[in-house]
Amino acid sequence: MNVRELPRLSEGRPPAALRVFGVVALLVIVVSTLTTDPMPGLHGDGLWVTLAVVAFVAGIAASLPLNELPPGVRLAGLVLAGAASCVFTAVQPDSGGYAGIYYVVVIAGIRMPRVTGYLVAGGTLLAEVLIVSLEHDKPASTAAGLVFSVVPWFLITRMIRQLAARRDRAEELVEELRESREAAAQSAALAERGRVARDLHDVLAHSLSALALQLEGTRLLARGRGADPEIVAGLEHAHRLAAGGLAEARQAIAALRGDALPGPERLHELVEAFGPSASLSVIGTPRETSSEARLALYRTAQEALTNVRRHSAGDRVEMRLEYGDDGTTLTVADHGPGAPVMAGGGGYGLTGMRERAALLGGRLDAGPTEDGFRVRLWLP
């Protein structure tokens, strides 16, 4: 017997062949009671047969369903079926009605709690044995045959119930173990992310912060001493880059620590920080996307604007976010007389943007236009 193939006690169904056999067996029992003397009627023994048939059918209907039943319903159904079986044995011994006891012990063994199952099955069997002892010509041998043919069915069904219960418990333990391992792995990952975040904060963020302060002090000193305007402008540009890098480093640290990741709703902040020459337009109805897609849209826009600031002298930047039927498209294009944005560069770069898009099943196209450079990201 393969324990893994046993049905779950709460929701499983027996194999189809077994269900068909059970239905056919019950039909045979009922048909035999309807066609054997004394037949169902309204007087004498026929009345008892009629009542027994009704009770047997009602008992099956109440006790057979596999789903959970209200307390006492299945018990009442088995009691009715067992009583009907005893009536058939006493009043209609030549029919197959006595076989109803097999139905009672099978259902009691596999569907009822331990004590209740023993009481129902044992009580029905005891009643049948007493009736056979009083009515049959050879009571000892008939009663012994009945006991030795019924008890194994009950024990087998109890064993099946216990195996299924143990299987269910084993599956629950395996699921608990899997969840425990996942929690441990997640905890280890969070601890490692926290360590990396602390290292970034201690090294990169502090260094960039000190660099930004040093550049600002140098810029003020150069302006105060009447330095060349180009030198002052260069220092201002370097200070902005250092401040932007510091902000990006802090965002990366926040992401590592599990803080809320930025998404499309913060694109307007990037545009405002870039300056009045940048604009943002949103087309279509915004919709919920995965956290990875949200972050990809934000990081692509951030990197594209950073590249414009670093490598282009364009006088206008247009950002467009379009929600289409097949996906979301982000376009960042600069326009002006300046040189187009270079495809190289360190940091995240176009290569990193393409990799992030590919991981999400999207694509990123980047290249020069007639008057600048355009980056286009599409995510499904």
Side-chain angles (χ1 to χ4, degrees):
M1 180 182 296
N2 190 347
V3 178
R4 292 181 178 273
E5 295 178 356
L6 293 174
R8 296 188 68 88
L9 293 176
S10 60
E11 59 188 24
R13 301 181 66 85
L18 185 59
R19 296 202 303 271
V20 172
F21 174 79
V23 171
V24 171
L26 292 175
L27 289 176
V28 169
I29 292 174
V30 174
V31 170
S32 71
T33 62
L34 297 176
T35 57
T36 303
D37 291 329
M39 291 185 181
L42 299 178
H43 304 283
D45 290 342
L47 177 60
W48 284 105
V49 173
T50 301
L51 295 176
V53 170
V54 173
F56 188 67
V57 173
I60 293 174
S63 59
L64 188 58
L66 299 178
N67 55 299
E68 292 296 328
L69 298 176
V73 172
R74 199 183 306 275
L75 175 60
L78 290 179
V79 170
L80 281 175
S85 177
C86 292
V87 172
F88 291 137
T89 303
V91 179
Q92 202 182 48
D94 295 332
S95 74
Y98 74 93
I101 188 175
Y102 293 97
Y103 169 80
V104 173
V105 298
V106 167
I107 300 300
I110 203 168
R111 289 290 170 183
M112 300 297 291
R114 183 172 179 268
V115 175
T116 308
Y118 276 105
L119 291 176
V120 172
T124 305
L125 178 59
L126 179 60
E128 288 272 14
V129 169
L130 290 175
I131 294 173
V132 167
S133 300
L134 295 174
E135 300 290 340
H136 206 275
D137 295 338
K138 299 179 179 179
S141 59
T142 304
L146 182 64
V147 169
F148 285 107
S149 65
V150 169
V151 170
W153 279 99
F154 180 77
L155 296 178
I156 290 173
T157 55
R158 290 303 302 179
M159 181 183 67
I160 293 174
R161 177 183 175 88
Q162 292 172 2
L163 289 175
R166 292 175 183 175
R167 191 280 315 275
D168 293 348
R169 179 57 181 162
E171 288 185 353
E172 291 175 0
L173 292 175
V174 170
E175 181 64 20
E176 291 177 2
L177 178 60
R178 184 188 64 79
E179 293 177 355
S180 177
R181 287 181 175 177
E182 289 182 354
Q186 185 177 9
S187 177
L190 290 175
E192 178 63 15
R193 288 169 59 180
R195 184 191 66 80
V196 174
R198 289 192 298 271
D199 291 344
L200 283 175
H201 182 271
D202 294 341
V203 178
L204 184 58
H206 283 175
S207 298
L208 288 174
S209 179
L211 176 61
L213 291 175
Q214 185 66 31
L215 287 171
E216 178 65 10
T218 304
R219 182 186 68 83
L220 294 175
L221 181 62
R223 176 180 292 177
R225 295 187 177 182
D228 191 315
E230 292 184 358
I231 295 177
V232 176
L235 290 173
E236 290 178 350
H237 184 64
H239 177 264
R240 287 196 300 271
L241 292 178
L246 178 60
E248 293 177 10
R250 286 173 175 169
Q251 291 174 356
I253 292 171
L256 284 173
R257 287 176 173 169
D259 296 346
L261 298 177
E265 70 280 354
R266 294 181 56 181
L267 293 182
H268 70 279
E269 297 178 7
L270 295 176
V271 171
E272 291 177 359
F274 187 87
S277 61
S279 62
L280 170 66
S281 59
V282 179
I283 302 174
T285 303
R287 56 174 171 264
E288 290 294 328
T289 57
S290 65
S291 57
E292 293 83 1
R294 286 165 42 82
L295 184 61
L297 291 169
Y298 181 85
R299 292 300 187 203
T300 299
Q302 185 181 45
E303 181 66 19
L305 291 178
T306 300
N307 283 343
V308 171
R309 181 180 286 114
R310 290 176 178 174
H311 304 295
S312 175
D315 55 12
R316 181 167 53 90
V317 178
E318 294 180 349
M319 182 183 300
R320 185 176 65 182
L321 180 62
E322 183 175 357
Y323 294 95
D325 295 335
D326 60 342
T328 305
T329 303
L330 173 70
T331 304
V332 181
D334 64 286
H335 308 274
V341 177
M342 298 173 61
Y348 182 61
L350 294 177
T351 301
M353 288 191 279
R354 288 193 177 96
E355 291 175 352
R356 188 185 291 271
L359 289 174
L360 296 173
R363 61 178 179 271
L364 184 134
D365 303 317
T369 61
E370 295 181 355
D371 60 346
F373 197 85
R374 180 177 60 202
V375 175
R376 177 176 294 160
L377 170 67
W378 175 83
L379 295 176

